[in-house]
Amino acid sequence: MMTSAAKPKELRLNAFYMNCITHQSPGLWRHPRDQTQRYTDLDYWVELARTLERGYFDALFLADVLGVYDVYGRNAEAALRGAVQVPVNDPMLLVPTLAYQTRHLGFGVTSILSYDQPYAFARRMSTLDHLTKGRVGWNVVTGYLDSAARASGRGKQRGHDQRYAVADEYMEVVYKLWEGSWQDDAILRDRDSGIFADPGRIHKIVHEGEYFRLEGYHLSEPSPQRTPVLFQAGSSTRGRAFAARHAECVFIAGNSKTEIARLVSEIRQAAAGHGRDPRDITVFLSAVAIAGRSRAEAQSKLDDYRTYGDVEGALVLQSGWQGIDFGAVPLDNPLSSARETVTQAHDRSDRAPDPRSVRQLAEAATLGGGAPLLLGTASDIADEMQSWLEEADIDGFNLVSAVAPETYVDFVDIVVPELQKRGVYKRDYRSGTLREKLGDRPRLHASHPAARFRHGN
Ligand SMILES: Cc1cc2nc3c(=O)[nH]c(=O)nc-3n(C[C@H](O)[C@H](O)[C@H](O)COP(=O)(O)O)c2cc1C
């Protein structure tokens, strides 16, 4: 009798990083081996991208924020003092160079749609898609800092759910530009007739909506992927609804396998409700991996890293993310006591209460923003990763750095060979665009909302 063992799920990996000194591990820039202060130097980025490609990472995922973290203490001083996501440079501008220096690595770029008009943004993404030969993704975010709204001439951000309503319409506009303006057969390149493109196959987009009005042609010729691979990271009820409609890759954060399993199942079910295949959504969980050639080596790295953690910096980030001024309450108070210091409209009522004290939250958050810690030998880390994939139904990880680029170099040298040996991780890249590498498909599936703007549909 033939037995057929289920094929293990293929693990997906992104490096979760940012064009700044402190992404999610405040204080670690002070570690003697940390090199994040070289973030203004392209050599640093090229070295990092090559390391990731050597380890067959799917993408370098670049987070971004506009605005400073000024919720903590109601000013930006602690953020500026501790280099907490400020100074921060534009992630998009790194991509062409890094694409030129690599062959397969994808680039997930965060761009905050609240401050970027869709017409010009759509062209910028198409340009990147051309220059990377289809290796670009877009992390769709609406921003969460009022400081960005004030810096852009608005007093305050829109409310949480309204930001998603604007985002839904923004997506419609960019889909129209990317998918609906130029037909696949619009370009003739006919030297004899002198016709480069057939104007009859290039359509003017007219959009009259609640938040956007536009009348114009997309300016770029069709790029390899048209719509870049869409990443999204919202976990509220409204955020999940948005992800279920639009996202191809979803980022989530959390420490409990049961809770993450519930969230993933809700996201997949909601996608099915939109007529999409729930498996078309690739789910990445934030995690920080500290690998050693022995458990003792990994533990001593962790102990060493922890001595550099900046508790105040962690609270600066948490204050910005949660819209709560954690500087206004004593460190040993329960987190619930800080709720009264809410300064920004963040609807987190659907989250379970956190029983920890402010100090406990901050100490945990100094390393990778409090993401699950994968610690130990290659085999320990591979076991833990596989257990997350099986129990929580995620597809892979967004690996945050502790000390950069050391975290990634260690992962590639120590853990990747073990994952490959187990048959859960690629030994080579697939050819093609980022979308083809992730899911074997050149264009967005016909069930995706962008597809209805294509000609011939
Ligand atoms: C893993 C992860 C990564 C994120 N990265 C960014 C980012 O780079 N820039 C940004 O503005 N927001 C980022 N966010 C915030 C989300 O886009 C979103 O604003 C936030 O999760 C609140 O949405 P929600 O209320 O629907 O959960 C991230 C969130 C998560 C969980």
Side-chain angles (χ1 to χ4, degrees):
M1 199 178 80
M2 292 242 311
T3 52
S4 64
K7 201 170 164 246
K9 193 148 102 176
E10 186 182 357
L11 173 80
R12 298 272 164 209
L13 283 181
N14 297 320
F16 186 29
Y17 206 52
M18 194 163 170
N19 195 356
C20 66
I21 295 166
T22 299
H23 174 213
Q24 298 213 341
S25 297
L28 272 292
W29 62 271
R30 300 173 295 178
H31 191 281
R33 292 194 300 277
D34 190 82
Q35 295 186 40
T36 48
Q37 288 179 72
R38 293 176 58 210
Y39 78 105
T40 53
D41 177 352
L42 271 175
D43 288 336
Y44 174 70
W45 289 98
V46 169
E47 285 159 33
L48 177 67
R50 286 187 177 151
T51 300
L52 299 176
E53 189 159 85
R54 183 164 67 79
Y56 302 104
F57 274 59
D58 291 292
L60 167 60
F61 178 84
L62 292 161
D64 193 28
V65 289
L66 269 183
V68 289
Y69 283 74
D70 60 1
V71 177
Y72 179 87
R74 303 191 182 224
N75 63 59
E77 285 179 24
L80 291 164
R81 220 174 14 242
V84 184
Q85 296 195 359
V86 60
V88 56
N89 281 346
D90 190 320
M92 264 196 196
L93 298 176
L94 295 172
V95 173
T97 303
L98 301 187
Y100 192 69
Q101 297 288 334
T102 52
R103 280 193 60 206
H104 293 286
L105 185 68
F107 301 94
V109 188
T110 301
S111 183
I112 301 139
L113 60 83
S114 307
Y115 308 102
D116 212 347
Q117 281 301 307
Y119 180 62
F121 170 75
R123 182 176 71 156
R124 227 175 308 129
M125 282 316 271
S126 295
T127 307
L128 280 188
D129 201 42
H130 279 297
L131 295 178
T132 60
K133 297 188 166 62
R135 285 193 274 148
V136 74
W138 170 32
N139 179 31
V140 185
V141 303
T142 59
Y144 47 79
L145 294 172
D146 275 342
S147 62
R150 289 195 303 273
S152 310
R154 305 178 198 166
K156 227 173 172 325
Q157 302 179 84
R158 292 186 171 104
H160 178 272
D161 284 9
Q162 200 193 7
R163 296 205 292 274
Y164 277 116
V166 174
D168 268 321
E169 193 182 322
Y170 193 103
M171 299 309 288
E172 186 177 327
V173 176
V174 291
Y175 292 154
K176 285 176 175 169
L177 290 163
W178 285 326
E179 303 280 338
S181 190
W182 293 61
Q183 289 182 209
D184 287 340
D185 55 1
I187 298 199
L188 305 178
R189 302 184 201 281
D190 188 338
R191 287 193 155 98
D192 295 335
S193 65
I195 298 177
F196 177 79
D198 174 0
R201 299 178 206 171
I202 304 165
H203 308 278
K204 188 188 271 184
I205 302 303
V206 180
H207 178 91
E208 295 267 345
E210 196 177 339
Y211 303 105
F212 301 100
R213 295 180 70 185
L214 177 145
E215 187 192 322
Y217 298 95
H218 188 40
L219 291 168
S220 303
E221 65 179 272
S223 67
Q225 300 185 111
R226 299 268 189 148
T227 300
V229 173
L230 297 170
F231 292 76
Q232 200 263 344
S235 54
S236 61
T237 311
R238 188 62 183 86
R240 287 197 306 272
F242 184 87
R245 217 173 121 64
H246 303 282
E248 300 175 84
C249 299
V250 174
F251 283 171
I252 50 179
N255 282 276
S256 144
K257 283 184 188 144
T258 344
E259 279 194 22
I260 293 295
R262 184 182 51 81
L263 183 60
V264 173
S265 145
E266 282 168 4
I267 293 169
R268 296 203 196 277
Q269 272 173 31
H274 283 280
R276 300 179 63 199
D277 178 348
R279 293 283 140 202
D280 268 359
I281 301 202
T282 307
V283 182
F284 291 92
L285 177 75
S286 284
V288 56
I290 298 183
R293 291 198 161 74
S294 66
R295 284 188 184 161
E297 187 192 306
Q299 184 65 48
S300 87
K301 267 186 213 167
L302 173 65
D303 295 343
D304 174 39
Y305 293 169
R306 284 228 188 270
T307 62
Y308 292 89
D310 169 8
V311 164
E312 187 181 58
L315 291 177
V316 167
L317 286 177
Q318 292 292 333
S319 296
W321 293 339
Q322 301 193 38
I324 292 172
D325 178 6
F326 287 111
V329 284
L331 277 176
D332 292 310
N333 272 22
L335 281 171
S336 55
S337 72
R339 297 272 147 207
E340 290 131 38
T341 69
V342 172
T343 61
Q344 296 185 6
H346 290 234
D347 164 26
R348 302 325 320 251
S349 48
D350 55 351
R351 278 221 170 143
D354 189 331
R356 291 175 295 176
S357 70
V358 174
R359 185 191 302 280
Q360 284 168 328
L361 167 80
E363 284 177 356
T366 55
L367 218 59
L373 177 63
L374 310 171
L375 176 71
T377 61
S379 154
D380 294 333
I381 293 177
D383 283 349
E384 188 55 12
M385 286 182 141
Q386 283 189 272
S387 129
W388 271 103
L389 258 64
E390 281 155 27
E391 290 173 38
D393 194 25
I394 59 166
D395 298 285
F397 295 87
N398 249 1
L399 290 180
V400 195
S401 67
V403 166
E406 182 168 293
T407 305
Y408 299 121
V409 175
D410 283 352
F411 191 89
V412 168
D413 289 341
I414 298 172
V415 187
V416 164
E418 175 66 24
L419 294 169
Q420 290 173 323
K421 201 174 83 193
R422 293 180 182 205
V424 294
Y425 192 62
K426 54 186 145 352
R427 287 176 180 275
D428 205 350
Y429 285 103
R430 273 186 215 149
S431 61
T433 63
L434 179 58
R435 180 171 290 115
E436 287 169 312
K437 287 178 165 63
L438 290 173
D440 254 344
R441 175 179 300 147
R443 303 279 296 277
L444 278 163
H445 191 263
S447 62
H448 190 279
R452 79 188 154 96
F453 300 112
R454 285 178 197 146
H455 276 269
N457 273 358

